[in-house]
Amino acid sequence: MDSTEDGSQGVLVDLSDVSLADLPELDQSAFAWSLRRILEEVDRPRDAVAGWNSAM
Amino acid sequence: MTVPGDGRGAAVADRPAPARPVPFSEFILKVHSRCNLACDYCYMYELADRSARTDPPRMSPEVFARTCWRIGEHVRTHGLDAARVVLHGGEPLLVGAPALARMADRLRAAVRPATARITVQTNGTRLDEPALSALVGAGVRIGVSLDGDRTANDRHRRYASGRGSFDQVDAALRRLADRPEAYAGILCVVDLAADPLDTYAALLAYRPPVVDFLLPHANWESPPARPDGDDTGYGRWLARVFDAWYDAPVRRTRVRLFEELINLLLGGASRTESLGLSPVAAVVVNTDGGYEQVDTLRSSYPGAVDTDLTVFAHSFDEVLRHPAVAARQAGVSALAAGCRACPVHRVCGGGNYPHRYRAGSFTNPSVYCHDLRLLIDHVAGRLRADLVGLRGRDG
Ligand code: SF4
């Protein structure tokens, strides 16, 4: 599915039907961290702003 | 837990650009405009706009006091509960660590009852034990710039004499690794001449909580070095580091660029100006009290950062209304037509703003367009494969 000026979803990765129930609680991989972050963001959306990238 | 469809993530990604300006929440204070290094890629001194050479070397007490007052005014006007302040340069430690610690105290007092999260971004050469202790004591967090191992770092990050800076930075990072409460992380500029995995391993040796990889400042007028002519070379370099980071069974450090990229691909928003379409909420105050747009724009053309507004005469709200600042909060409407038609534009965001410059305009794709596309597709592929695995386990 491509995204163009009409705002369709393009390259976004589809999370439908993904179950995290089997993601081991102790899974500390970057993938697991990333899934937990997006789920938290989806449950508690905040307006994100972009910070400066020349400092940590 | 099952995520019901992709609509929830999409709702985050499709948030429209703000109708009203988003208040600044990150304030970058140029406390010293000079540097004791002469890195060959420095946007302050070596690229298009070299006006920093004539800026006052040091932020005066009057400018600093007025800047604190302006930040407090902005925080209260917008009811912010926190502000992030970066003490930057040049090299901020040229003002001395005790002075930076006093500045941190003054900034905290200025924004109360909001909190101030204060960071120093340093080249590390002056971060000796007394300096570190002073900053830690003042609750200041420290980010250090290092480009990898000795060979990679000293290829670019040198003193004016030509001597490399690695030994001092190595010692500083060893000290900092033992003070995790003050350790903000490491910034690394990508160099195609360095091996990506060696570079990543060299950074990991200092146990950084966060790493970020920055593409060298370049634009269409002054393109990046591509020794083999491959217009995806930077993307391939980053993809190799991504795989090393992503494949580790235990995440050994956070990598800001990769984490923001994954979050965008999963339908979230970005918190870095390098990717995505989130409004930029960062502003720079120069040593002379002038407001500047994010100062990496110095890499594009002389005067690119100037707003002609100062802390003495103008509020941060007036800076928000400056057209060039507003453009950084305009989301998709500020992108070039080619980017708006690109399938990855909500993730890429057209790339870092200074990298889009060509012939007086920033309405262009990034000069790293093909690199970004390669990296985004690579990461999306890795994510999709792992999600298939997760679906498989559930089914
Ligand atoms: S810079 Fe390139 S990859 Fe990024 S949105 Fe524009 S066209 Fe797409």
Side-chain angles (χ1 to χ4, degrees):
Chain A
M1 178 167 46
D2 268 2
S3 167
T4 57
E5 288 185 62
D6 65 10
S8 57
Q9 290 311 304
V11 74
L12 296 190
V13 175
D14 183 7
L15 285 177
S16 33
D17 305 325
V18 170
S19 168
L20 294 187
D22 291 334
L23 189 64
E25 219 168 277
L26 294 178
D27 187 339
Q28 298 298 312
S29 67
F31 174 67
W33 280 97
S34 302
L35 283 186
R36 292 188 190 109
R37 172 179 166 186
I38 188 67
L39 288 174
E40 191 181 317
E41 202 169 293
V42 167
D43 285 341
R44 276 183 284 159
R46 290 185 299 145
D47 284 330
V49 295
W52 195 49
N53 71 2
S54 293
M56 295 308 300
Chain B
M1 180 168 21
T2 298
V3 181
D6 60 353
R8 297 163 77 195
V12 180
D14 271 347
R15 273 197 288 247
R20 287 192 305 157
V22 174
F24 294 120
S25 52
E26 182 173 13
F27 304 87
I28 298 128
L29 275 48
K30 296 281 170 176
V31 296
H32 204 295
S33 66
R34 306 292 194 265
C35 189
N36 57 331
L37 294 185
C39 307
D40 59 7
Y41 53 53
C42 176
Y43 61 81
M44 289 286 283
Y45 288 105
E46 304 299 333
L47 301 181
D49 183 344
R50 303 184 180 192
S51 60
R53 290 172 190 267
T54 55
D55 289 338
R58 187 176 171 148
M59 183 176 273
S60 69
E62 294 73 28
V63 169
F64 180 69
R66 191 68 179 168
T67 302
C68 289
W69 188 84
R70 287 292 184 196
I71 294 173
E73 174 189 53
H74 195 69
V75 163
R76 280 185 286 280
T77 300
H78 295 278
L80 306 180
D81 53 16
R84 187 169 129 77
V85 182
V86 183
L87 303 175
H88 205 266
E91 170 48 44
L93 274 165
L94 290 181
V95 309
L100 293 176
R102 287 193 295 275
M103 286 177 154
D105 290 342
R106 298 267 306 275
L107 284 159
R108 287 204 178 86
V111 303
R112 251 177 227 128
T115 56
R117 185 178 163 91
I118 300 168
T119 307
V120 168
Q121 183 65 37
T122 173
N123 64 30
T125 56
R126 297 211 162 196
L127 193 63
D128 56 15
E129 191 54 49
L132 180 57
S133 294
L135 295 175
V136 172
V140 174
R141 289 161 53 80
I142 302 153
V144 176
S145 301
L146 178 78
D147 286 354
D149 61 19
R150 176 188 299 276
T151 305
N153 187 75
D154 288 354
R155 194 175 292 124
H156 301 288
R157 301 190 63 79
R158 291 190 297 262
Y159 293 89
S161 66
R163 182 166 63 93
S165 62
F166 181 82
D167 287 334
Q168 289 77 33
V169 185
D170 169 69
L173 280 166
R174 288 171 193 269
R175 281 183 209 104
L176 192 52
D178 290 334
R179 310 297 283 267
E181 72 278 21
Y183 196 175
I186 301 180
L187 275 184
C188 174
V189 175
V190 174
D191 181 359
L192 295 185
D195 180 80
L197 301 185
D198 290 348
T199 300
Y200 180 53
L203 303 182
L204 279 183
Y206 301 105
R207 310 194 305 275
V210 191
V211 165
D212 202 8
F213 293 99
L214 303 179
L215 292 165
H217 284 299
N219 55 54
W220 293 101
E221 305 289 335
S222 182
R226 296 189 185 275
D228 60 2
D230 177 2
D231 65 0
T232 60
Y234 290 90
R236 290 183 197 285
W237 196 101
L238 286 166
R240 288 190 63 201
V241 180
F242 176 85
D243 285 345
W245 172 76
Y246 187 77
D247 289 335
V250 174
R251 186 183 67 169
R252 294 186 59 191
T253 185
R254 301 179 54 194
V255 179
R256 183 163 65 184
L257 178 69
F258 300 155
E259 290 188 355
E260 298 309 305
L261 176 48
I262 290 175
N263 207 52
L264 283 158
L265 283 165
L266 294 176
S270 168
R271 292 189 172 76
T272 172
E273 61 173 340
S274 299
L275 291 169
L277 294 168
S278 299
V280 174
V283 61
V284 176
V285 180
N286 199 7
T287 50
D288 64 0
Y291 293 114
E292 295 185 342
Q293 302 177 65
V294 288
D295 66 341
T296 44
L297 286 178
R298 284 183 195 270
S299 61
S300 47
Y301 66 94
V305 295
D306 297 342
T307 65
D308 292 327
L309 308 175
T310 81
V311 289
F312 292 105
H314 306 94
S315 67
F316 280 105
D317 271 10
E318 289 170 275
V319 184
L320 278 174
R321 290 194 284 274
H322 189 283
V325 174
R328 304 292 312 275
Q329 298 198 345
V332 72
S333 61
L335 294 183
C339 289
R340 291 199 305 271
C342 168
V344 305
H345 74 272
R346 287 184 184 280
V347 173
C348 174
N352 197 17
Y353 201 71
H355 301 163
R356 305 177 200 173
Y357 181 73
R358 186 205 297 257
S361 169
F362 291 93
T363 316
N364 305 293
S366 167
V367 74
Y368 291 105
C369 174
H370 295 290
D371 304 285
L372 292 165
R373 184 65 199 266
L374 182 138
L375 179 66
I376 291 166
D377 288 343
H378 177 81
V379 174
R382 296 293 320 265
L383 280 176
R384 287 202 179 91
D386 278 357
L387 285 167
V388 167
L390 211 53
R391 285 191 182 101
R393 261 193 263 179
D394 193 41

